[in-house]
Amino acid sequence: MSRNLETGFYMRKRSFWGKRWGSYVILSLLCLVCALAFALVAIPPKNDASYTHFVKKYPDYGYPAHSSGTRLYIDGLRDFQFPMLSGHKAPVYLDFTGSSLAAKSQIDEYGEYLLSNLMGNPHSGFSSEIPKTAHQLLSAFNTDYSAYSVVFTSGATASIKLVGESFDFGENGVFMYTENNHISVTAIRVYAKSSTVVEPQITTIVNTARDISANQPSGTLNLLAFPLESNFNGFRSSVDRLKRLKEELPDNWYVLVDVAASVPHSPLDLSNVIGDFFPMSFYKMFGNPTGSGALVVRKEAIPTLVKTYSGGGTVIWSNTTDVIFRNHFSNRFQDGTPAFDLMPAIRIGLSHLRKLTFDAIHKHTQALSNYLRSHLERYQYSTGMKALYVLDIEPVDADELFDEVGPVVSFIVRNSDGSIRNSREVAEDAAMHNIKVRSGCLCNYGGCNIMRRAFAVEQEEIARVYMNGCKGQTKFCLFRKYWIDSSDRWDPQQYGVPDCGCGEASLDYRYFRFAESQVVDGVVRVSVGYLSDFKDIERFLAWLTNYLNI
């Protein structure tokens, strides 16, 4: 008997032959498990004819350049890198515009790096992690430090806010934006004394910008903002149109291009001058780490950002009245200690995607979304009425800013009588069947309003669902129609206190009335990612067919 110094337990020494046979048994079991795993992942989908037709029609599916023989690379990627999606009862995850998922190898490599490397506060001299990460990020977008700078933030929203609060609008600067924008972008209007919404046509945008500039004092700076790809419906702009817009704008106009929804699945080539400010979130790209993002800034646009707050690490000297900020842009705008321990995870995530290549990811995700879109457009009731209204790009001319659709399919569900089904109810039923999609306005209320106008829904009708319940205030209260009973009155004891933006003491329940919602409350959004596969789409379509009972 001998004592194990690590565990404290007494253990019997095994003989040479005992050790050898034990090793043989373990090795044999491992080989058996590997063989079974390979056999399972090699099993084609149940509807083999459908799968064969799909692969033939979409030859870019599954990363064929990385595949071996007839077995597509996507199969092994899913089963060995994403165990949370494996197994008979595994969920179907179709909310990649909301967030990507982290691969097992990312987590393993990140953990090993943390345990093998000493990292400390950059302000104490541990500075290599951040420049290395910024360099790799710019390289992924086909550019370098000679043309762009990087500030790491907590995400795209923080990056957008940094631009809004720092941009030198002065007394006369104007913020112009398209309606189909994330709320984080439209919120920049609070920093400018004048703001305007513009239709997404290049000529309209350019002419509006020229008219504004013609009536401004010399030296006035203006900001235009739009998404490279909308998080609401996937509508996106091609590089040629972005370059044309940038070239035709007056010189005193700068451009913020929200790339948060685009960079997880499409190449971003910043060697083309398509904008000045590019906010993004890393969790949307590769899952881990969350709470991290970046603002990439074209160097010619740096002088438009004015630094006022002197956070830790941003100054080289200060007294009770004055402050001198650091010269380097990244240091000047990096308030406080950055999340230095997340830098390795960002580099690992970028490398994970770059091994597949952004071009291959784009083709893979577009194959799946195009297949899904083509099937959804066929859904109809026995009366011939379409069951779904699928948001899609209409035939466009050369003047439209948005001329493509990314791997996002957003739609509205109709009942057989033509009324509109609540999008949240649709998503909740999907969730009950272990299918994860997103619903509502998706933090893009401009996109929601555009869609409502398409259905001729008036704002007064929308307000029937968002009813006033604060005494003497004009705040809206959110509640769902199935929270209200047939008595046509709100019962706070039964339904709880509604979220009205004012304290419970200010609520007057007499103002709450039943409002049967036939307005468009939002969309159901299905978004695929680099690790989505054919079986995900088939399971979603099978659920939807059963849900609609058609």
Side-chain angles (χ1 to χ4, degrees), residues 261-328:
S262 175
V263 288
H265 54 71
S266 297
L268 177 62
D269 185 354
L270 292 183
S271 66
N272 296 302
V273 180
I274 59 174
D276 301 292
F277 309 104
F278 301 89
M280 65 194 69
S281 293
F282 295 127
Y283 71 92
K284 290 180 181 289
M285 297 179 68
F286 35 78
N288 180 70
T290 58
S292 63
L295 175 66
V296 178
V297 181
R298 196 165 71 94
K299 286 199 169 180
E300 284 82 351
I302 288 177
T304 67
L305 301 181
V306 178
K307 180 65 173 171
T308 55
Y309 179 75
S310 52
T314 63
V315 305
I316 56 176
W317 178 86
S318 177
N319 61 17
T320 56
T321 58
D322 300 309
V323 63
I324 298 177
F325 289 103
R326 293 185 177 274
N327 290 325
H328 193 277

Side-chain angles (χ1 to χ4, degrees), residues 75 139 300 316 346 519 543:
D75 298 324
S139 176
E300 284 82 351
I316 56 176
I346 296 169
V519 304
W543 161 79

Side-chain angles (χ1 to χ4, degrees), residues 285-505:
M285 297 179 68
F286 35 78
N288 180 70
T290 58
S292 63
L295 175 66
V296 178
V297 181
R298 196 165 71 94
K299 286 199 169 180
E300 284 82 351
I302 288 177
T304 67
L305 301 181
V306 178
K307 180 65 173 171
T308 55
Y309 179 75
S310 52
T314 63
V315 305
I316 56 176
W317 178 86
S318 177
N319 61 17
T320 56
T321 58
D322 300 309
V323 63
I324 298 177
F325 289 103
R326 293 185 177 274
N327 290 325
H328 193 277
F329 171 77
S330 298
N331 293 333
R332 189 164 71 250
F333 281 87
Q334 191 82 63
D335 287 317
T337 301
F340 57 88
D341 63 337
L342 300 183
M343 297 297 125
I346 296 169
R347 296 197 300 273
I348 291 166
L350 284 170
S351 297
H352 183 76
L353 296 187
R354 295 184 77 181
K355 287 176 184 176
L356 293 173
T357 76
F358 284 102
D359 184 61
I361 291 171
H362 176 71
K363 291 176 180 177
H364 171 79
T365 53
Q366 287 294 147
L368 289 169
S369 63
N370 290 342
Y371 175 78
L372 173 62
R373 188 181 301 274
S374 66
H375 277 67
L376 294 184
E377 290 171 347
R378 303 173 192 170
Y379 277 80
Q380 63 180 31
Y381 294 107
S382 58
T383 59
M385 176 183 293
K386 282 187 172 292
L388 307 173
Y389 178 83
V390 182
L391 278 63
D392 202 355
I393 288 282
E394 301 294 334
V396 296
D397 58 35
D399 200 45
E400 294 287 341
L401 180 60
F402 302 116
D403 60 329
E404 300 175 348
V405 185
V408 175
V409 184
S410 296
F411 59 91
I412 297 167
V413 178
R414 289 184 170 127
N415 295 310
S416 57
D417 62 359
S419 60
I420 297 169
R421 195 169 299 187
N422 186 285
S423 68
R424 287 174 176 80
E425 293 179 4
V426 180
E428 285 167 0
D429 191 272
M432 287 169 51
H433 291 81
N434 218 10
I435 297 173
K436 315 301 181 184
V437 297
R438 183 81 175 266
S439 66
C441 286
L442 318 175
C443 296
N444 189 324
Y445 299 98
C448 236
N449 287 330
I450 292 171
M451 184 187 61
R452 285 162 175 165
R453 288 198 296 272
F455 279 84
V457 178
E458 299 295 333
Q459 292 296 318
E460 291 77 11
E461 188 175 357
I462 298 170
R464 293 172 57 235
V465 187
Y466 302 92
M467 300 180 68
N468 185 23
C470 297
K471 295 177 181 177
Q473 301 184 44
T474 58
K475 294 181 179 291
F476 286 157
C477 301
L478 307 182
F479 57 91
R480 301 183 186 180
K481 65 179 184 180
Y482 55 79
W483 288 353
I484 316 294
D485 63 12
S486 58
S487 66
D488 202 35
R489 293 295 301 273
W490 184 278
D491 182 356
Q493 292 185 342
Q494 181 176 356
Y495 302 115
V497 178
D499 179 12
C500 299
C502 60
E504 183 178 0

Side-chain angles (χ1 to χ4, degrees), residues 43-65:
I43 296 174
K46 290 183 179 180
N47 191 350
D48 191 59
S50 177
Y51 178 70
T52 302
H53 176 74
F54 167 77
V55 173
K56 184 176 181 180
K57 185 175 181 180
Y58 301 99
D60 293 320
Y61 166 78
Y63 308 103

Side-chain angles (χ1 to χ4, degrees), residues 220-248:
T220 301
L221 303 179
N222 305 296
L223 182 64
L224 167 68
F226 55 84
L228 178 56
E229 177 178 308
S230 168
N231 72 304
F232 184 76
N233 49 26
F235 292 5
R236 57 180 288 122
S237 301
S238 59
V239 172
D240 290 341
R241 300 193 182 214
L242 294 175
K243 289 172 64 178
R244 176 191 159 196
L245 174 61
K246 180 64 175 168
E247 290 169 357
E248 295 184 8

Side-chain angles (χ1 to χ4, degrees), residues 75-212:
D75 298 324
L77 180 71
R78 279 287 292 262
D79 286 286
F80 295 114
Q81 291 280 22
F82 299 94
M84 74 288 283
L85 298 179
S86 299
H88 179 65
K89 295 183 179 181
V92 174
Y93 185 78
L94 293 170
D95 185 31
F96 283 91
T97 300
S99 174
S100 187
L101 301 176
K104 181 179 183 298
S105 62
Q106 286 177 249
I107 304 301
D108 292 343
E109 187 176 349
Y110 179 42
E112 183 177 346
Y113 189 96
L114 291 178
L115 294 174
S116 305
N117 294 271
L118 176 64
M119 293 184 294
N121 194 320
H123 303 160
S124 302
F126 296 86
S127 58
S128 61
E129 294 292 339
I130 293 172
K132 281 194 301 186
T133 308
H135 173 77
Q136 187 167 332
L137 180 66
L138 293 176
S139 176
F141 300 143
N142 197 29
T143 189
D144 55 34
Y145 274 126
S146 66
Y148 290 86
S149 288
V150 178
V151 175
F152 290 102
T153 67
S154 63
T157 294
S159 300
I160 294 164
K161 184 173 182 286
L162 189 155
V163 175
E165 66 189 9
S166 305
F167 191 82
D168 189 10
F169 286 109
E171 293 295 318
N172 301 289
V174 174
F175 174 55
M176 181 164 65
Y177 58 97
T178 57
E179 191 172 9
N180 188 351
N181 250 311
H182 194 281
I183 185 64
S184 299
V185 175
T186 62
I188 292 177
R189 61 194 174 199
V190 303
Y191 296 107
K193 292 191 174 180
S194 178
S195 61
T196 183
V197 181
V198 66
E199 291 295 320
Q201 284 88 35
I202 296 175
T203 300
T204 301
I205 295 172
V206 171
N207 288 340
T208 303
R210 288 173 178 171
D211 290 342
I212 291 172

